[in-house]
Amino acid sequence: MGRAILTAARNALRGFVALPGDKSISQRRALMSLFVSDDVTLTNYGTGEDCLTALACVQQLGKTVARSGSIVQISGEAGCKSGELNCGNSGTCSRLLMGILAGHEGEWQLTGDESLSRRPMKRVAKPLRKMGARIDLQDGHLPAHIRGGSLQGIIYHAQVISAQVKTAVLLAGLRASGSTFYFENSMSRNHTEHILNLAPRSNGWIALDPTKVELTGKTLSALIPSDPSSAAFWIAAALMVPDSELEFPGLLSNPLRNSYFDLLRGRGAMIAIQNRTHLNGEHVIHCRISYSPIGAFSVAFPETIKLIDEIPAFAILATAANGRSVFLDASELRVKESDRLKCMTEGLVRMGAEVEVWSDNFAVTGPVELQGAEIETAHDHRIAMAFAIAGLAATSKTIIQDAECVAVSYPDFWKDLERLAPGCIELEP
Ligand code: S3P
């Protein structure tokens, strides 16, 4: 697959969307199976390449992995003591593995693709080294050389708010002597704490005593809720194409992941939430979103952290919102799979949007009629999907380069788009 060519949606988008299992939870549960020897069964496991990369690493480390679509069974011992593990495009996989392998006897090399090899890794190596980990990076980047050994717990006040760093430290803490204490000025996503059954103390510190954590095949086995970061693209589409109405069954509901419901509702979006249930440490909902004109919105720290993966979709949505939407304190956007702040603002300008950029902030003023353009995605899945949605609202053809990159998180994205907006997409071979 090369380019995707989009034309404006002629009709409303209507129907159910079955989204992939949440990428963060899928990868955490698969990688944490390295700590147990009894069977782990994961249902609605994410089908994106990042999630499959985590499974491939687990298998290479000695576990037996059987997968049938989105059902995964992991069994056996992680007996492999050395080798090169390719983490592909996945920041979560590489950073979590650093924390896990640092405390396991053996010697490994972690590598990644071009994008992952550009992403900062010192933020993870630094606290892990304080715990006694032996990790060598190349100028702060992958490849990482890890010699596993004994670790000690630490008291760590995070300098970068990152769930990947926090998880790496907590997973290293599972193998350390003594307890680990972790503090963030504002909380990043907390799926690891939910899996390990750790509640933050009233002063915000997370305390992990490795002798008190119950981690077994049973506690790791789960039905994984659908990914709210994948839902964000369709939520933007439903709010941009008149008369649309989309429903998301089995969607993850976590205040650190979909606080965007409150943000959008506050600006006029019609969002109905039903059937809230608690399942395997997380809440799951059925969500329906109906087209409604919305007012401009602002995102600033700490919301920017909670919405970091959804900003590409919401930057596109801002072109349809009435007024000047601002996205502040978005420096972390620059170190994702691409420099997303640059890719988004450049693509939006190409499509005729009114955009201002200053340091790590940007603003988009709407409503504006988007014109089609050719979009460089930098092989970044979320950039490709965000501009595909923009293409549904543009007056002329939008061309998305590297269309295959959506498979990193959402392999059926183009299929779903063809189903929801028939005739609007043509995929070049
Ligand atoms: C993730 C955490 C976030 C997010 C990423 C997945 C995770 O990154 O952007 O897509 O699974 O922990 P940070 O670790 O930088 O917060």
mmCIF file with all atom_site columns, all heavy atoms in Angstrom, residues 174-194:
data_model
loop_
_atom_site.group_PDB
_atom_site.id
_atom_site.type_symbol
_atom_site.label_atom_id
_atom_site.label_alt_id
_atom_site.label_comp_id
_atom_site.label_asym_id
_atom_site.label_entity_id
_atom_site.label_seq_id
_atom_site.pdbx_PDB_ins_code
_atom_site.Cartn_x
_atom_site.Cartn_y
_atom_site.Cartn_z
_atom_site.occupancy
_atom_site.B_iso_or_equiv
_atom_site.pdbx_formal_charge
_atom_site.auth_seq_id
_atom_site.auth_comp_id
_atom_site.auth_asym_id
_atom_site.auth_atom_id
_atom_site.pdbx_PDB_model_num
ATOM 1   N N   . LEU A 1 174 ? 9.589  -4.550  40.826 1.00 0.00 ? 174 LEU A N   1
ATOM 2   C CA  . LEU A 1 174 ? 9.072  -5.892  41.160 1.00 0.00 ? 174 LEU A CA  1
ATOM 3   C C   . LEU A 1 174 ? 10.199 -6.866  41.452 1.00 0.00 ? 174 LEU A C   1
ATOM 4   O O   . LEU A 1 174 ? 10.025 -7.852  42.155 1.00 0.00 ? 174 LEU A O   1
ATOM 5   C CB  . LEU A 1 174 ? 8.250  -6.459  39.986 1.00 0.00 ? 174 LEU A CB  1
ATOM 6   C CG  . LEU A 1 174 ? 6.874  -5.861  39.742 1.00 0.00 ? 174 LEU A CG  1
ATOM 7   C CD1 . LEU A 1 174 ? 6.256  -6.497  38.506 1.00 0.00 ? 174 LEU A CD1 1
ATOM 8   C CD2 . LEU A 1 174 ? 5.969  -6.079  40.948 1.00 0.00 ? 174 LEU A CD2 1
ATOM 9   N N   . ARG A 1 175 ? 11.397 -6.596  40.881 1.00 0.00 ? 175 ARG A N   1
ATOM 10  C CA  . ARG A 1 175 ? 12.552 -7.484  41.047 1.00 0.00 ? 175 ARG A CA  1
ATOM 11  C C   . ARG A 1 175 ? 13.577 -6.921  42.021 1.00 0.00 ? 175 ARG A C   1
ATOM 12  O O   . ARG A 1 175 ? 14.643 -7.486  42.205 1.00 0.00 ? 175 ARG A O   1
ATOM 13  C CB  . ARG A 1 175 ? 13.250 -7.646  39.682 1.00 0.00 ? 175 ARG A CB  1
ATOM 14  C CG  . ARG A 1 175 ? 12.533 -8.574  38.751 1.00 0.00 ? 175 ARG A CG  1
ATOM 15  C CD  . ARG A 1 175 ? 12.788 -9.973  39.222 1.00 0.00 ? 175 ARG A CD  1
ATOM 16  N NE  . ARG A 1 175 ? 12.150 -10.976 38.416 1.00 0.00 ? 175 ARG A NE  1
ATOM 17  C CZ  . ARG A 1 175 ? 12.756 -12.089 38.014 1.00 0.00 ? 175 ARG A CZ  1
ATOM 18  N NH1 . ARG A 1 175 ? 14.013 -12.304 38.294 1.00 0.00 ? 175 ARG A NH1 1
ATOM 19  N NH2 . ARG A 1 175 ? 12.097 -12.985 37.354 1.00 0.00 ? 175 ARG A NH2 1
ATOM 20  N N   . ALA A 1 176 ? 13.268 -5.744  42.599 1.00 0.00 ? 176 ALA A N   1
ATOM 21  C CA  . ALA A 1 176 ? 14.276 -5.068  43.430 1.00 0.00 ? 176 ALA A CA  1
ATOM 22  C C   . ALA A 1 176 ? 14.180 -5.511  44.881 1.00 0.00 ? 176 ALA A C   1
ATOM 23  O O   . ALA A 1 176 ? 13.147 -6.012  45.327 1.00 0.00 ? 176 ALA A O   1
ATOM 24  C CB  . ALA A 1 176 ? 14.062 -3.554  43.328 1.00 0.00 ? 176 ALA A CB  1
ATOM 25  N N   . SER A 1 177 ? 15.269 -5.294  45.605 1.00 0.00 ? 177 SER A N   1
ATOM 26  C CA  . SER A 1 177 ? 15.181 -5.501  47.046 1.00 0.00 ? 177 SER A CA  1
ATOM 27  C C   . SER A 1 177 ? 14.666 -4.187  47.629 1.00 0.00 ? 177 SER A C   1
ATOM 28  O O   . SER A 1 177 ? 15.102 -3.098  47.228 1.00 0.00 ? 177 SER A O   1
ATOM 29  C CB  . SER A 1 177 ? 16.557 -5.848  47.619 1.00 0.00 ? 177 SER A CB  1
ATOM 30  O OG  . SER A 1 177 ? 17.457 -4.817  47.314 1.00 0.00 ? 177 SER A OG  1
ATOM 31  N N   . GLY A 1 178 ? 13.712 -4.263  48.510 1.00 0.00 ? 178 GLY A N   1
ATOM 32  C CA  . GLY A 1 178 ? 13.143 -3.049  49.102 1.00 0.00 ? 178 GLY A CA  1
ATOM 33  C C   . GLY A 1 178 ? 12.049 -2.459  48.231 1.00 0.00 ? 178 GLY A C   1
ATOM 34  O O   . GLY A 1 178 ? 11.830 -2.889  47.095 1.00 0.00 ? 178 GLY A O   1
ATOM 35  N N   . SER A 1 179 ? 11.370 -1.460  48.777 1.00 0.00 ? 179 SER A N   1
ATOM 36  C CA  . SER A 1 179 ? 10.226 -0.859  48.085 1.00 0.00 ? 179 SER A CA  1
ATOM 37  C C   . SER A 1 179 ? 10.673 0.247   47.138 1.00 0.00 ? 179 SER A C   1
ATOM 38  O O   . SER A 1 179 ? 11.747 0.817   47.292 1.00 0.00 ? 179 SER A O   1
ATOM 39  C CB  . SER A 1 179 ? 9.257  -0.266  49.113 1.00 0.00 ? 179 SER A CB  1
ATOM 40  O OG  . SER A 1 179 ? 8.684  -1.308  49.871 1.00 0.00 ? 179 SER A OG  1
ATOM 41  N N   . THR A 1 180 ? 9.804  0.544   46.158 1.00 0.00 ? 180 THR A N   1
ATOM 42  C CA  . THR A 1 180 ? 10.022 1.654   45.222 1.00 0.00 ? 180 THR A CA  1
ATOM 43  C C   . THR A 1 180 ? 8.904  2.672   45.433 1.00 0.00 ? 180 THR A C   1
ATOM 44  O O   . THR A 1 180 ? 7.734  2.294   45.570 1.00 0.00 ? 180 THR A O   1
ATOM 45  C CB  . THR A 1 180 ? 10.038 1.113   43.772 1.00 0.00 ? 180 THR A CB  1
ATOM 46  O OG1 . THR A 1 180 ? 11.216 0.325   43.617 1.00 0.00 ? 180 THR A OG1 1
ATOM 47  C CG2 . THR A 1 180 ? 10.043 2.221   42.744 1.00 0.00 ? 180 THR A CG2 1
ATOM 48  N N   . PHE A 1 181 ? 9.291  3.948   45.458 1.00 0.00 ? 181 PHE A N   1
ATOM 49  C CA  . PHE A 1 181 ? 8.311  5.035   45.619 1.00 0.00 ? 181 PHE A CA  1
ATOM 50  C C   . PHE A 1 181 ? 8.444  5.946   44.414 1.00 0.00 ? 181 PHE A C   1
ATOM 51  O O   . PHE A 1 181 ? 9.554  6.364   44.055 1.00 0.00 ? 181 PHE A O   1
ATOM 52  C CB  . PHE A 1 181 ? 8.580  5.820   46.903 1.00 0.00 ? 181 PHE A CB  1
ATOM 53  C CG  . PHE A 1 181 ? 8.469  4.972   48.145 1.00 0.00 ? 181 PHE A CG  1
ATOM 54  C CD1 . PHE A 1 181 ? 9.582  4.286   48.632 1.00 0.00 ? 181 PHE A CD1 1
ATOM 55  C CD2 . PHE A 1 181 ? 7.256  4.832   48.801 1.00 0.00 ? 181 PHE A CD2 1
ATOM 56  C CE1 . PHE A 1 181 ? 9.489  3.482   49.757 1.00 0.00 ? 181 PHE A CE1 1
ATOM 57  C CE2 . PHE A 1 181 ? 7.153  4.023   49.941 1.00 0.00 ? 181 PHE A CE2 1
ATOM 58  C CZ  . PHE A 1 181 ? 8.269  3.345   50.422 1.00 0.00 ? 181 PHE A CZ  1
ATOM 59  N N   . TYR A 1 182 ? 7.311  6.283   43.775 1.00 0.00 ? 182 TYR A N   1
ATOM 60  C CA  . TYR A 1 182 ? 7.358  7.045   42.519 1.00 0.00 ? 182 TYR A CA  1
ATOM 61  C C   . TYR A 1 182 ? 6.370  8.195   42.621 1.00 0.00 ? 182 TYR A C   1
ATOM 62  O O   . TYR A 1 182 ? 5.223  8.013   43.031 1.00 0.00 ? 182 TYR A O   1
ATOM 63  C CB  . TYR A 1 182 ? 6.991  6.123   41.355 1.00 0.00 ? 182 TYR A CB  1
ATOM 64  C CG  . TYR A 1 182 ? 7.396  6.644   39.997 1.00 0.00 ? 182 TYR A CG  1
ATOM 65  C CD1 . TYR A 1 182 ? 8.642  6.330   39.463 1.00 0.00 ? 182 TYR A CD1 1
ATOM 66  C CD2 . TYR A 1 182 ? 6.538  7.455   39.251 1.00 0.00 ? 182 TYR A CD2 1
ATOM 67  C CE1 . TYR A 1 182 ? 9.024  6.799   38.208 1.00 0.00 ? 182 TYR A CE1 1
ATOM 68  C CE2 . TYR A 1 182 ? 6.914  7.924   38.002 1.00 0.00 ? 182 TYR A CE2 1
ATOM 69  C CZ  . TYR A 1 182 ? 8.157  7.580   37.486 1.00 0.00 ? 182 TYR A CZ  1
ATOM 70  O OH  . TYR A 1 182 ? 8.539  8.056   36.244 1.00 0.00 ? 182 TYR A OH  1
ATOM 71  N N   . PHE A 1 183 ? 6.825  9.386   42.207 1.00 0.00 ? 183 PHE A N   1
ATOM 72  C CA  . PHE A 1 183 ? 5.947  10.557  42.270 1.00 0.00 ? 183 PHE A CA  1
ATOM 73  C C   . PHE A 1 183 ? 5.983  11.323  40.953 1.00 0.00 ? 183 PHE A C   1
ATOM 74  O O   . PHE A 1 183 ? 7.047  11.561  40.388 1.00 0.00 ? 183 PHE A O   1
ATOM 75  C CB  . PHE A 1 183 ? 6.386  11.488  43.411 1.00 0.00 ? 183 PHE A CB  1
ATOM 76  C CG  . PHE A 1 183 ? 5.498  12.690  43.556 1.00 0.00 ? 183 PHE A CG  1
ATOM 77  C CD1 . PHE A 1 183 ? 4.288  12.602  44.240 1.00 0.00 ? 183 PHE A CD1 1
ATOM 78  C CD2 . PHE A 1 183 ? 5.850  13.908  42.983 1.00 0.00 ? 183 PHE A CD2 1
ATOM 79  C CE1 . PHE A 1 183 ? 3.448  13.701  44.358 1.00 0.00 ? 183 PHE A CE1 1
ATOM 80  C CE2 . PHE A 1 183 ? 5.015  15.014  43.099 1.00 0.00 ? 183 PHE A CE2 1
ATOM 81  C CZ  . PHE A 1 183 ? 3.809  14.906  43.795 1.00 0.00 ? 183 PHE A CZ  1
ATOM 82  N N   . GLU A 1 184 ? 4.790  11.732  40.476 1.00 0.00 ? 184 GLU A N   1
ATOM 83  C CA  . GLU A 1 184 ? 4.701  12.596  39.285 1.00 0.00 ? 184 GLU A CA  1
ATOM 84  C C   . GLU A 1 184 ? 3.913  13.837  39.672 1.00 0.00 ? 184 GLU A C   1
ATOM 85  O O   . GLU A 1 184 ? 2.905  13.728  40.377 1.00 0.00 ? 184 GLU A O   1
ATOM 86  C CB  . GLU A 1 184 ? 3.894  11.891  38.186 1.00 0.00 ? 184 GLU A CB  1
ATOM 87  C CG  . GLU A 1 184 ? 4.478  10.597  37.700 1.00 0.00 ? 184 GLU A CG  1
ATOM 88  C CD  . GLU A 1 184 ? 3.543  9.889   36.686 1.00 0.00 ? 184 GLU A CD  1
ATOM 89  O OE1 . GLU A 1 184 ? 2.432  9.482   37.063 1.00 0.00 ? 184 GLU A OE1 1
ATOM 90  O OE2 . GLU A 1 184 ? 3.938  9.762   35.546 1.00 0.00 ? 184 GLU A OE2 1
ATOM 91  N N   . ASN A 1 185 ? 4.333  14.995  39.178 1.00 0.00 ? 185 ASN A N   1
ATOM 92  C CA  . ASN A 1 185 ? 3.611  16.245  39.471 1.00 0.00 ? 185 ASN A CA  1
ATOM 93  C C   . ASN A 1 185 ? 2.170  16.184  39.009 1.00 0.00 ? 185 ASN A C   1
ATOM 94  O O   . ASN A 1 185 ? 1.286  16.824  39.566 1.00 0.00 ? 185 ASN A O   1
ATOM 95  C CB  . ASN A 1 185 ? 4.273  17.426  38.759 1.00 0.00 ? 185 ASN A CB  1
ATOM 96  C CG  . ASN A 1 185 ? 5.541  17.828  39.475 1.00 0.00 ? 185 ASN A CG  1
ATOM 97  O OD1 . ASN A 1 185 ? 5.704  17.507  40.657 1.00 0.00 ? 185 ASN A OD1 1
ATOM 98  N ND2 . ASN A 1 185 ? 6.427  18.486  38.770 1.00 0.00 ? 185 ASN A ND2 1
ATOM 99  N N   . SER A 1 186 ? 1.947  15.456  37.941 1.00 0.00 ? 186 SER A N   1
ATOM 100 C CA  . SER A 1 186 ? 0.596  15.236  37.460 1.00 0.00 ? 186 SER A CA  1
ATOM 101 C C   . SER A 1 186 ? 0.581  13.808  36.938 1.00 0.00 ? 186 SER A C   1
ATOM 102 O O   . SER A 1 186 ? 1.557  13.381  36.306 1.00 0.00 ? 186 SER A O   1
ATOM 103 C CB  . SER A 1 186 ? 0.295  16.238  36.353 1.00 0.00 ? 186 SER A CB  1
ATOM 104 O OG  . SER A 1 186 ? -0.947 15.945  35.819 1.00 0.00 ? 186 SER A OG  1
ATOM 105 N N   . MET A 1 187 ? -0.496 13.090  37.211 1.00 0.00 ? 187 MET A N   1
ATOM 106 C CA  . MET A 1 187 ? -0.448 11.649  36.946 1.00 0.00 ? 187 MET A CA  1
ATOM 107 C C   . MET A 1 187 ? -0.544 11.285  35.469 1.00 0.00 ? 187 MET A C   1
ATOM 108 O O   . MET A 1 187 ? -1.422 11.785  34.752 1.00 0.00 ? 187 MET A O   1
ATOM 109 C CB  . MET A 1 187 ? -1.605 10.993  37.684 1.00 0.00 ? 187 MET A CB  1
ATOM 110 C CG  . MET A 1 187 ? -1.186 9.792   38.474 1.00 0.00 ? 187 MET A CG  1
ATOM 111 S SD  . MET A 1 187 ? -2.541 9.401   39.552 1.00 0.00 ? 187 MET A SD  1
ATOM 112 C CE  . MET A 1 187 ? -2.925 7.817   38.950 1.00 0.00 ? 187 MET A CE  1
ATOM 113 N N   . SER A 1 188 ? 0.349  10.419  35.019 1.00 0.00 ? 188 SER A N   1
ATOM 114 C CA  . SER A 1 188 ? 0.237  9.847   33.667 1.00 0.00 ? 188 SER A CA  1
ATOM 115 C C   . SER A 1 188 ? -0.692 8.633   33.751 1.00 0.00 ? 188 SER A C   1
ATOM 116 O O   . SER A 1 188 ? -1.100 8.233   34.837 1.00 0.00 ? 188 SER A O   1
ATOM 117 C CB  . SER A 1 188 ? 1.618  9.425   33.170 1.00 0.00 ? 188 SER A CB  1
ATOM 118 O OG  . SER A 1 188 ? 2.133  8.413   34.009 1.00 0.00 ? 188 SER A OG  1
ATOM 119 N N   . ARG A 1 189 ? -1.004 8.036   32.604 1.00 0.00 ? 189 ARG A N   1
ATOM 120 C CA  . ARG A 1 189 ? -1.966 6.914   32.585 1.00 0.00 ? 189 ARG A CA  1
ATOM 121 C C   . ARG A 1 189 ? -1.547 5.828   33.593 1.00 0.00 ? 189 ARG A C   1
ATOM 122 O O   . ARG A 1 189 ? -0.358 5.566   33.774 1.00 0.00 ? 189 ARG A O   1
ATOM 123 C CB  . ARG A 1 189 ? -2.144 6.366   31.167 1.00 0.00 ? 189 ARG A CB  1
ATOM 124 C CG  . ARG A 1 189 ? -0.904 5.808   30.545 1.00 0.00 ? 189 ARG A CG  1
ATOM 125 C CD  . ARG A 1 189 ? -1.125 5.458   29.072 1.00 0.00 ? 189 ARG A CD  1
ATOM 126 N NE  . ARG A 1 189 ? -1.299 6.644   28.238 1.00 0.00 ? 189 ARG A NE  1
ATOM 127 C CZ  . ARG A 1 189 ? -1.584 6.628   26.950 1.00 0.00 ? 189 ARG A CZ  1
ATOM 128 N NH1 . ARG A 1 189 ? -1.762 5.485   26.329 1.00 0.00 ? 189 ARG A NH1 1
ATOM 129 N NH2 . ARG A 1 189 ? -1.718 7.738   26.263 1.00 0.00 ? 189 ARG A NH2 1
ATOM 130 N N   . ASN A 1 190 ? -2.558 5.225   34.219 1.00 0.00 ? 190 ASN A N   1
ATOM 131 C CA  . ASN A 1 190 ? -2.282 4.401   35.405 1.00 0.00 ? 190 ASN A CA  1
ATOM 132 C C   . ASN A 1 190 ? -2.641 2.920   35.233 1.00 0.00 ? 190 ASN A C   1
ATOM 133 O O   . ASN A 1 190 ? -2.975 2.239   36.197 1.00 0.00 ? 190 ASN A O   1
ATOM 134 C CB  . ASN A 1 190 ? -3.063 4.970   36.601 1.00 0.00 ? 190 ASN A CB  1
ATOM 135 C CG  . ASN A 1 190 ? -4.554 5.091   36.309 1.00 0.00 ? 190 ASN A CG  1
ATOM 136 O OD1 . ASN A 1 190 ? -5.008 4.738   35.224 1.00 0.00 ? 190 ASN A OD1 1
ATOM 137 N ND2 . ASN A 1 190 ? -5.314 5.583   37.270 1.00 0.00 ? 190 ASN A ND2 1
ATOM 138 N N   . HIS A 1 191 ? -2.548 2.409   34.000 1.00 0.00 ? 191 HIS A N   1
ATOM 139 C CA  . HIS A 1 191 ? -2.935 1.002   33.792 1.00 0.00 ? 191 HIS A CA  1
ATOM 140 C C   . HIS A 1 191 ? -2.029 0.031   34.553 1.00 0.00 ? 191 HIS A C   1
ATOM 141 O O   . HIS A 1 191 ? -2.480 -0.996  35.042 1.00 0.00 ? 191 HIS A O   1
ATOM 142 C CB  . HIS A 1 191 ? -2.916 0.663   32.301 1.00 0.00 ? 191 HIS A CB  1
ATOM 143 C CG  . HIS A 1 191 ? -3.678 1.637   31.469 1.00 0.00 ? 191 HIS A CG  1
ATOM 144 N ND1 . HIS A 1 191 ? -4.999 1.941   31.706 1.00 0.00 ? 191 HIS A ND1 1
ATOM 145 C CD2 . HIS A 1 191 ? -3.313 2.410   30.418 1.00 0.00 ? 191 HIS A CD2 1
ATOM 146 C CE1 . HIS A 1 191 ? -5.406 2.845   30.828 1.00 0.00 ? 191 HIS A CE1 1
ATOM 147 N NE2 . HIS A 1 191 ? -4.398 3.137   30.048 1.00 0.00 ? 191 HIS A NE2 1
ATOM 148 N N   . THR A 1 192 ? -0.747 0.364   34.656 1.00 0.00 ? 192 THR A N   1
ATOM 149 C CA  . THR A 1 192 ? 0.177  -0.529  35.371 1.00 0.00 ? 192 THR A CA  1
ATOM 150 C C   . THR A 1 192 ? -0.228 -0.631  36.837 1.00 0.00 ? 192 THR A C   1
ATOM 151 O O   . THR A 1 192 ? -0.266 -1.726  37.408 1.00 0.00 ? 192 THR A O   1
ATOM 152 C CB  . THR A 1 192 ? 1.616  0.019   35.258 1.00 0.00 ? 192 THR A CB  1
ATOM 153 O OG1 . THR A 1 192 ? 1.873  0.250   33.883 1.00 0.00 ? 192 THR A OG1 1
ATOM 154 C CG2 . THR A 1 192 ? 2.633  -0.937  35.840 1.00 0.00 ? 192 THR A CG2 1
ATOM 155 N N   . GLU A 1 193 ? -0.551 0.518   37.433 1.00 0.00 ? 193 GLU A N   1
ATOM 156 C CA  . GLU A 1 193 ? -0.981 0.512   38.837 1.00 0.00 ? 193 GLU A CA  1
ATOM 157 C C   . GLU A 1 193 ? -2.248 -0.331  38.980 1.00 0.00 ? 193 GLU A C   1
ATOM 158 O O   . GLU A 1 193 ? -2.407 -1.068  39.951 1.00 0.00 ? 193 GLU A O   1
ATOM 159 C CB  . GLU A 1 193 ? -1.257 1.944   39.329 1.00 0.00 ? 193 GLU A CB  1
ATOM 160 C CG  . GLU A 1 193 ? -0.017 2.838   39.369 1.00 0.00 ? 193 GLU A CG  1
ATOM 161 C CD  . GLU A 1 193 ? 0.173  3.634   38.093 1.00 0.00 ? 193 GLU A CD  1
ATOM 162 O OE1 . GLU A 1 193 ? 0.285  3.037   37.011 1.00 0.00 ? 193 GLU A OE1 1
ATOM 163 O OE2 . GLU A 1 193 ? 0.223  4.872   38.177 1.00 0.00 ? 193 GLU A OE2 1
ATOM 164 N N   . HIS A 1 194 ? -3.159 -0.227  37.990 1.00 0.00 ? 194 HIS A N   1
ATOM 165 C CA  . HIS A 1 194 ? -4.394 -1.018  38.077 1.00 0.00 ? 194 HIS A CA  1
ATOM 166 C C   . HIS A 1 194 ? -4.082 -2.514  38.011 1.00 0.00 ? 194 HIS A C   1
ATOM 167 O O   . HIS A 1 194 ? -4.651 -3.308  38.747 1.00 0.00 ? 194 HIS A O   1
ATOM 168 C CB  . HIS A 1 194 ? -5.363 -0.634  36.952 1.00 0.00 ? 194 HIS A CB  1
ATOM 169 C CG  . HIS A 1 194 ? -6.005 0.702   37.188 1.00 0.00 ? 194 HIS A CG  1
ATOM 170 N ND1 . HIS A 1 194 ? -6.771 1.342   36.253 1.00 0.00 ? 194 HIS A ND1 1
ATOM 171 C CD2 . HIS A 1 194 ? -5.984 1.526   38.266 1.00 0.00 ? 194 HIS A CD2 1
ATOM 172 C CE1 . HIS A 1 194 ? -7.202 2.503   36.748 1.00 0.00 ? 194 HIS A CE1 1
ATOM 173 N NE2 . HIS A 1 194 ? -6.728 2.628   37.972 1.00 0.00 ? 194 HIS A NE2 1
#
